[in-house]
Amino acid sequence: MADAIADPGIISGYHAHLYYAPETRPIAERLRAAIGENFPQARIGSWHDEPVGPHPVAMYQVAFGVEEFPRLVPWLMLNREGLDVLVHPLTDDSVADHTRFALWLGAPLPLRLDVLRRGPRSA
């Protein structure tokens, strides 16, 4: 039910998607290396130079735990160097995670939501 108060305890972790273009890939590379150095608990995903899943442009994903949110997200706020970043929780509803529950640093991008799994809150 959309009107219910959601319990943050349903969040099992987070993803940050760092979007880049060919001309901004060097920035994305620097940030990727800095994330790896500063956040060893984070799992940095593969480079995707072409759109993949719901993401309309090139990106890589950083997966991190709930306990890392208060350190990693402010770090991204201060260090994203103009890249657009989507931060979203991991719940049982991928559509809501990428829309209603999403946090954008920079400009929001239009996502391809039809490829995502809807959970009970989106039904």
Side-chain angles (χ1 to χ4, degrees):
M1 175 171 22
D3 296 331
I5 301 297
D7 176 8
I10 66 171
I11 298 171
S12 61
Y14 292 92
H15 287 169
H17 300 277
L18 288 85
Y19 298 101
Y20 61 90
E23 63 274 11
T24 60
R25 185 170 169 142
I27 295 169
E29 290 171 353
R30 279 196 311 275
L31 289 177
R32 183 182 175 90
I35 291 167
E37 291 170 14
N38 289 287
F39 302 95
Q41 309 291 346
R43 294 177 316 279
I44 302 173
S46 301
W47 290 97
H48 295 283
D49 291 329
E50 300 293 328
V52 62
H55 308 286
V57 298
M59 67 94 198
Y60 62 86
Q61 170 183 288
V62 178
F64 56 100
V66 171
E67 68 284 350
E68 284 295 309
F69 185 93
R71 287 185 350 100
L72 182 53
V73 174
W75 188 92
L76 286 170
M77 289 174 172
L78 298 176
N79 293 291
R80 66 184 180 85
E81 295 189 50
L83 294 183
D84 297 319
V85 179
L86 166 63
V87 179
H88 68 79
L90 301 174
T91 71
D92 63 354
D93 188 333
S94 293
V95 172
D97 291 348
H98 287 78
T99 57
R100 291 194 344 238
F101 305 150
L103 167 68
W104 283 93
L105 307 176
L109 301 176
L111 300 177
R112 297 184 308 233
L113 301 176
D114 59 314
V115 302
L116 298 175
R117 181 184 50 78
R118 292 186 180 275
R121 285 182 300 284
S122 289

